[in-house]
Amino acid sequence: MRAYELMVIIDPEVEERTVEPSLDKFLNVVRNDGGTVDKVDIWGRRRLAYEIQKKAEGIYAVVNFTATPAAAAELDRQLSLNETIMRTKIIRPEEQKISKKDAKKAAKADAAKVSAE
């Protein structure tokens, strides 16, 4: 299981009150695979930096979840098939990457200490 962050831009013509329930349906992919949905943060309607599908606004949502890489890929695939979803981006949070680097450095330092003894 890995921690992921999903950012979704939803068509502004969708009712804002229906955003969370519709996202919840997609997030069942994660739950059914044994993952967890930690936080769903609806940012609301925002102006886009550039037009997407001839629209200048979009409804932003950020979701933090824990899942297997296969479940994350399936979630991204299903979101891309939905016409109301304008853009998606799934990333691994920076904290995870930094802690892995630190863990590798610590492992190398431990290995160096053991070989020196």
Side-chain angles (χ1 to χ4, degrees), residues 49-68:
Y50 54 90
E51 286 189 1
I52 301 173
Q53 301 170 0
K54 298 183 180 179
K55 294 180 173 80
E57 290 185 331
I59 300 171
Y60 282 73
V62 177
V63 180
N64 294 332
F65 64 97
T66 305
T68 62

Side-chain angles (χ1 to χ4, degrees), residues 102-117:
D102 291 342
K104 285 181 182 178
K105 285 180 184 177
K108 285 181 182 178
D110 289 342
K113 286 180 187 176
V114 170
S115 65
E117 292 174 357

Side-chain angles (χ1 to χ4, degrees), residues 23-37 65-68 70-79:
L23 272 178
D24 201 43
K25 282 189 246 176
F26 290 111
L27 294 173
N28 281 332
V29 170
V30 172
R31 292 185 191 104
N32 293 340
D33 196 48
T36 60
V37 177
F65 64 97
T66 305
T68 62
E74 178 62 17
L75 174 63
D76 194 37
R77 185 189 75 80
Q78 287 189 15
L79 286 169

